[in-house]
């Protein structure tokens, strides 16, 4: 396992109280924020809870989902000082390419469909390929680099949370010697 990946808790063992009982609002799903207070980043496990709980409530977001043949479709659902949540749809063949999260911690949950995640597991493991079916949530630390793709025959819908909110993302090519950084983008491109 990559040292920056937080191991997954099986969905049936999560008994956290439901923090998203009301429609999405400007309030954080983790509770109201104190104005002007410094915000420590949420942990990967806290972010996993956010996306898992939201994925289990499709009535909160399903009406927003769009499918795009040009590229993955996405919409930010929550924008708070300490975290953000994105809704993303994937058609077969769409992928992110290898990318980081600009130092943010993150988590994603597959709400519908199935995805595949590629990451480098270290010198002894090489390239890791994981199937990520509906109902699965993955969480990761600030240095994690991966490629997420839809290799299935149907669409997929995911929820992603980042803390602090994304400020940049670098993209990488996988070459014989490992990952090579090729570009960086910022919020103005999202």
């Amino acid at each position: 396992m990559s040292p920056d990946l937080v191991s997954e808790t099986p969905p049936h063992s999560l008994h956290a109280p439901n923090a998203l009982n009301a429609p999405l609002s400007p309030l954080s799903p983790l509770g109201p924020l104190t104005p002007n207070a410094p915000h420590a980043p949420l942990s990967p496990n806290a972010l996993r809870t956010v996306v898992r709980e939201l994925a289990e409530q499709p009535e909160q977001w399903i009406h927003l989902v769009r499918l795009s043949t040009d590229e993955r479709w996405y919409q930010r659902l929550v924008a708070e000082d300490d975290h953000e949540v994105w809704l993303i749809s994937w058609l077969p063949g769409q992928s992110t390419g290898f990318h980081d999260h600009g130092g943010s911690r993150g988590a994603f949950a597959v709400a519908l469909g199935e995805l595949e995640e590629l990451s480098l597991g270290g010198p002894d493991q090489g390239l890791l390929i994981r199937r990520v079916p509906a109902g699965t949530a993955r969480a990761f630390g600030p240095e994690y680099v991966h490629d997420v793709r839809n290799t299935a025959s149907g669409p997929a819908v995911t929820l992603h949370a980042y803390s602090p909110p994304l400020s940049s993302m670098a993209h990488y090519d996988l070459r014989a010697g490992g990952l090579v950084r090729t570009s960086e983008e910022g919020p103005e491109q999202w």
Side-chain angles (χ1 to χ4, degrees):
M1 179 184 323
S2 169
D4 204 32
L5 180 69
V6 176
S7 65
E8 179 171 348
T9 304
H12 62 275
S13 69
L14 181 66
H15 296 291
N18 188 338
L20 293 171
N21 292 323
L24 294 174
S25 72
L27 294 179
S28 163
L30 299 177
L33 299 175
T34 305
N36 302 321
H39 300 286
L42 300 180
S43 71
N45 282 331
L47 294 168
R48 181 191 346 253
T49 298
V50 169
V51 295
R52 181 173 279 144
E53 289 181 357
L54 193 53
E56 292 171 353
Q57 298 178 58
E59 68 279 3
Q60 299 286 333
W61 47 264
I62 194 74
H63 63 283
L64 300 171
V65 174
R66 303 292 178 262
L67 300 175
S68 171
T69 57
D70 295 331
E71 59 185 11
R72 291 172 300 118
W73 171 89
Y74 51 89
Q75 180 174 327
R76 187 178 359 228
L77 298 178
V78 175
E80 294 291 338
D81 290 340
D82 64 346
H83 76 284
E84 64 184 352
V85 178
W86 292 82
L87 175 65
I88 302 177
S89 70
W90 312 68
L91 289 177
Q94 293 178 338
S95 76
T96 61
F98 278 98
H99 66 283
D100 65 24
H101 304 90
S104 294
R105 294 155 178 81
F108 70 96
V110 178
L112 301 168
E114 178 177 301
L115 295 177
E116 183 176 85
E117 180 188 30
L118 286 71
S119 64
L120 293 182
D124 297 334
Q125 294 177 318
L127 183 65
L128 301 176
I129 302 173
R130 294 174 196 86
R131 188 177 142 268
V132 189
T136 303
R138 307 260 309 143
F140 47 87
E143 304 301 319
Y144 194 61
V145 176
H146 64 166
D147 176 8
V148 181
R149 53 184 60 196
N150 184 349
T151 59
S153 60
V157 176
T158 54
L159 291 128
H160 301 246
Y162 304 103
S163 183
L166 294 174
S167 60
S168 67
M169 291 177 64
H171 295 272
Y172 302 82
D173 278 344
L174 179 59
R175 300 194 181 147
L179 293 172
V180 176
R181 188 177 177 146
T182 58
S183 66
E184 185 170 327
E185 63 184 59
E188 63 279 357
Q189 283 119 340
W190 308 323

